[in-house]
């Protein structure tokens, strides 16, 4: 019983301490925590924002680079395609049929194909043999019948401008991208192919010039994933960094840029050192001020704690029955209010207990003996309540109550355990039919009467107690039952 009371007393002291007003030292510590914590939260937000700005700036630069690169490549392809279409439209001009080779050459080929980075334009007949060459009056020998740029136009007349995979030319040995168009006889039948090329080195030079000294890697590939070329060091597919891509419309080419995360980090990480240093200095200053004030506030807090402890002890004594050490009626009235809500009350059981024929016990054996008997009864009640996780109260002379959070079946077993435990003490009582001191117990469980009010629940437990007395005492009666419910008798230790 004393151990149970000590635990309850400790809980009461903790509650008293928790309800005490905050001391100046705690307020200061809380303020310092809020200020320092808020400052570090702001510092973290600032660092995060610096990183976000760096990534946003890098994305803006990447999109700008993609846009200018796409326009430059598209312009070159369009210019070269215009040259191919010019040749196609002029091949069947009657005015050029009887012209000299020099005049025919000048009439068919413009000067675009002679620009830096552009390859010569060749005209292949229906067998794939070159018979016109923008780079020479006498066409160079070339058999392109096995090339895809030839076969695709021969087999698919609807093909417009065809951009082929990069290849090394048989004439110059340079890496180039072929561009070709079909040309036809007057009746629409296949007459051959006009083919030219743009050097990969030219595209690489254009992209290098556009990206400048920035750490971007620019890749030109086909939309099916086959790579044409890239500037800089190729990055692994899972390398951390910024990636953006755009198609060179309307052709099946795609530009993509990659900027490694390390390059972006260089734009914002140095600034974080300054931010962190300032935050650290401010934090140390605040903590220093708190440390200086700590001694004075701690002295005052010790005095307040002693006063609170004294008040808590007085409150404990005011809530405790001096004879039995159980909680008194005042504390019972406070504790039972936790069951005011029906939903919470459905989890609790209330046992109303009375010592049978106790007035006769006092009259026969005297009040000192009655007090000793009440202490022994209280010890049993306190022990059973502690085992069940509940609380025991002395609410009157020989009247007691138990408040336990449990299921209805567990409450019935607990009530019988209380009754059997006191009977097992074997306290002599000559005026009792059994010859020993016994208890009558009335039990009410909130789950069995969900519609009842709090006072109705308490009254139901009292009514069950009186029903137990009417039915012969030394028994347990459940609220709402017509007769006492007597579960299997337990041993004194049960």
């Amino acid at each position: 019983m004393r151990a149970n009371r000590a635990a309850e007393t400790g809980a009461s002291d903790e509650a008293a301490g928790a309800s005490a007003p905050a001391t100046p030292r705690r307020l200061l510590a809380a303020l310092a925590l809020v200020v320092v914590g808020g400052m570090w939260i702001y510092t973290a937000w600032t660092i995060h924002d610096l990183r976000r700005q760096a990534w946003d700036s890098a994305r803006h630069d990447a999109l700008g680079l993609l846009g200018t690169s796409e326009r430059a490549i598209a312009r070159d392809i369009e210019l070269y395609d215009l040259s191919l279409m010019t040749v196609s439209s002029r091949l069947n001009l009657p005015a050029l049929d009887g012209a000299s080779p020099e005049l025919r050459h000048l009439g068919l080929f413009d000067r675009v194909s002679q620009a830096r980075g552009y390859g010569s334009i060749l005209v292949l007949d229906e067998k794939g043999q070159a018979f016109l060459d923008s780079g020479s009056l006498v066409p160079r020998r070339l058999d392109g019948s096995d090339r895809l740029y030839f076969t695709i136009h021969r087999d698919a007349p609807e093909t417009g401008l065809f951009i082929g995979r990069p290849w090394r030319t048989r004439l110059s040995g340079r890496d180039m991208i072929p561009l070709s168009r079909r040309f036809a006889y007057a009746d629409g039948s296949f007459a051959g192919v006009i083919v030219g090329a743009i050097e990969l080195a030219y595209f690489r030079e254009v992209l290098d010039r556009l990206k400048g000294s920035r750490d971007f890697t620019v890749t030109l590939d086909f939309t099916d994933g086959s790579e044409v070329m890239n500037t800089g060091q190729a990055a692994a597919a899972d390398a951390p960094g910024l990636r953006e891509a755009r198609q060179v419309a309307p052709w099946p080419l795609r530009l993509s840029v990659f900027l490694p995360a390390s390059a972006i980090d260089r734009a914002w990480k140095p600034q974080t050192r300054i931010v962190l240093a300032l935050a650290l200095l401010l934090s140390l200053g605040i903590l220093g001020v708190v440390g200086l004030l700590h001694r004075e506030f701690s002295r005052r807090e010790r005095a307040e704690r002693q006063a609170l402890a004294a008040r808590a002890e007085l409150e404990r004594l005011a809530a405790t029955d001096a004879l039995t050490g159980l909680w008194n009626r005042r504390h019972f009235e406070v504790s039972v209010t936790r069951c005011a809500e029906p939903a919470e009350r459905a989890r609790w059981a209330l046992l109303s207990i009375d010592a049978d024929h106790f007035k006769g016990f006092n009259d026969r054996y005297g009040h000192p003996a009655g007090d000793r008997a009440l202490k022994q009864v209280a010890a049993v009640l306190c022990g059973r309540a502690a085992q069940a996780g509940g609380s025991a109260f002395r609410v009157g002379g020989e009247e007691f109550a138990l408040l336990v959070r449990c299921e209805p079946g567990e409450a019935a077993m607990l009530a019988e355990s209380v009754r059997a435990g006191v009977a097992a003490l074997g306290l002599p009582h000559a005026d009792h039919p059994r010859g020993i001191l016994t208890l009558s117990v009335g039990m009410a469980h909130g789950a069995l009467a969900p519609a009842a009010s709090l006072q109705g629940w308490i009254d139901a437990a009292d009514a069950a107690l009186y029903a137990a007395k009417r039915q012969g005492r030394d028994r347990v009666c459940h609220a709402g039952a017509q007769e006492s419910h007597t579960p299997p008798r337990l041993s004194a230790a049960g």
Side-chain angles (χ1 to χ4, degrees), residues 92 153-154 156-158 182-192:
N92 294 324
H153 288 296
R154 182 191 64 194
E158 71 281 359
R182 181 181 187 270
F183 76 97
Y185 291 114
D187 60 359
S189 59
F190 179 67

Side-chain angles (χ1 to χ4, degrees), residues 132-208:
L132 288 173
D133 184 349
S134 68
S136 174
L137 288 175
V138 179
R140 289 164 286 185
R141 294 174 60 85
L142 174 67
D143 181 3
S145 60
D146 60 338
R147 294 289 193 177
L148 180 60
Y149 62 75
F150 180 83
T151 59
I152 195 168
H153 288 296
R154 182 191 64 194
D155 301 334
E158 71 281 359
T159 304
L161 176 66
F162 174 72
I163 301 177
R165 299 295 189 272
W167 51 281
R168 181 161 294 178
T169 64
R170 296 171 179 173
L171 299 177
S172 65
R174 291 175 293 181
D175 294 329
M176 309 188 84
I177 297 179
L179 291 83
S180 61
R181 278 190 174 272
R182 181 181 187 270
F183 76 97
Y185 291 114
D187 60 359
S189 59
F190 179 67
V193 172
I194 306 166
V195 61
I198 300 178
E199 295 182 25
L200 288 183
Y202 171 74
F203 279 141
R204 185 175 287 107
E205 180 183 341
V206 170
L207 296 176
D208 280 337

Side-chain angles (χ1 to χ4, degrees), residues 25-48:
R25 187 168 66 92
R26 288 173 182 168
L27 290 175
L28 181 64
L31 180 61
L33 181 63
V34 170
V35 173
V36 174
M39 183 177 59
W40 280 103
I41 290 174
Y42 180 75
T43 300
W45 178 86
T46 301
I47 293 173
H48 178 270

Side-chain angles (χ1 to χ4, degrees), residues 407-432:
E407 298 297 325
E410 296 171 337
M413 295 294 291
L414 174 63
E416 176 59 22
S417 173
V418 167
R419 187 207 62 78
V422 172
L425 293 176
L427 299 176
H429 189 349
D431 294 329
H432 194 291

Side-chain angles (χ1 to χ4, degrees), residues 96-436:
L96 294 178
D97 287 345
S100 64
E102 292 83 356
L103 185 60
R104 182 178 173 83
H105 190 275
L106 289 174
L108 287 175
F109 303 109
D110 56 27
R111 293 185 178 274
V112 173
S113 62
Q114 299 176 15
R116 185 172 59 87
Y118 291 0
S120 299
I121 297 176
L122 290 93
V123 182
L124 312 182
D125 60 21
E126 67 270 20
K127 295 182 180 180
Q129 303 299 317
F131 67 91
L132 288 173
D133 184 349
S134 68
S136 174
L137 288 175
V138 179
R140 289 164 286 185
R141 294 174 60 85
L142 174 67
D143 181 3
S145 60
D146 60 338
R147 294 289 193 177
L148 180 60
Y149 62 75
F150 180 83
T151 59
I152 195 168
H153 288 296
R154 182 191 64 194
D155 301 334
E158 71 281 359
T159 304
L161 176 66
F162 174 72
I163 301 177
R165 299 295 189 272
W167 51 281
R168 181 161 294 178
T169 64
R170 296 171 179 173
L171 299 177
S172 65
R174 291 175 293 181
D175 294 329
M176 309 188 84
I177 297 179
L179 291 83
S180 61
R181 278 190 174 272
R182 181 181 187 270
F183 76 97
Y185 291 114
D187 60 359
S189 59
F190 179 67
V193 172
I194 306 166
V195 61
I198 300 178
E199 295 182 25
L200 288 183
Y202 171 74
F203 279 141
R204 185 175 287 107
E205 180 183 341
V206 170
L207 296 176
D208 280 337
R209 184 174 66 253
L210 291 175
K211 79 182 183 70
S213 60
R214 293 174 293 182
D215 294 323
F216 286 106
T217 296
V218 185
T219 302
L220 178 65
D221 59 9
F222 284 88
T223 52
D224 63 3
S226 55
E227 184 175 312
V228 176
M229 52 150 290
N230 66 72
T231 65
Q233 186 176 1
D238 58 348
L242 175 68
R243 288 178 171 82
E244 297 289 345
R246 177 182 295 181
Q247 183 178 353
V248 185
W251 301 288
L253 292 173
R254 179 178 58 197
L255 276 168
S256 59
V257 298
F258 171 75
L259 185 62
S262 58
I264 303 175
D265 290 344
R266 288 197 296 270
W268 66 274
K269 281 193 173 180
Q271 301 176 56
T272 63
R273 299 189 184 96
I274 300 175
V275 174
L276 290 172
L278 290 175
L280 180 61
L281 288 175
L282 288 173
S283 299
L284 292 175
I286 293 172
L287 293 176
V289 172
V290 171
L292 292 174
L293 297 175
H294 178 273
R295 292 182 181 178
E296 175 62 21
F297 285 145
S298 60
R299 182 188 63 79
R300 295 183 181 181
E301 186 179 0
R302 281 194 298 272
E304 290 183 5
R305 276 204 306 267
Q306 292 171 357
L308 287 173
R311 188 179 72 178
E313 178 63 17
L314 289 175
E315 290 177 352
R316 185 191 68 79
L317 293 174
T320 303
D321 178 62
L323 175 64
T324 62
L326 299 182
W327 295 119
N328 60 19
R329 185 178 188 87
R330 177 175 173 272
H331 193 68
F332 170 76
E333 292 172 350
V334 173
S335 299
V336 81
T337 57
R338 75 181 68 171
C339 304
E341 294 296 329
E344 179 64 21
R345 192 161 59 248
R347 302 183 179 94
W348 289 83
L350 175 61
L351 275 60
S352 185
I353 304 167
D354 190 79
D356 296 328
H357 300 295
F358 196 74
K359 183 178 182 303
F361 188 97
N362 271 338
D363 292 344
R364 177 175 290 272
Y365 300 105
H367 288 282
D371 290 345
R372 289 193 296 271
L374 289 176
K375 289 181 180 179
Q376 291 179 277
V377 170
V380 173
L381 297 183
C382 190
R384 296 300 192 272
Q387 291 173 6
S391 300
F393 307 85
R394 185 187 180 195
V395 295
E398 67 273 15
E399 299 172 5
F400 301 90
L402 262 64
L403 191 60
V404 183
R405 185 169 180 165
C406 61
E407 298 297 325
E410 296 171 337
M413 295 294 291
L414 174 63
E416 176 59 22
S417 173
V418 167
R419 187 207 62 78
V422 172
L425 293 176
L427 299 176
H429 189 349
D431 294 329
H432 194 291
R434 289 191 58 189
I436 58 174

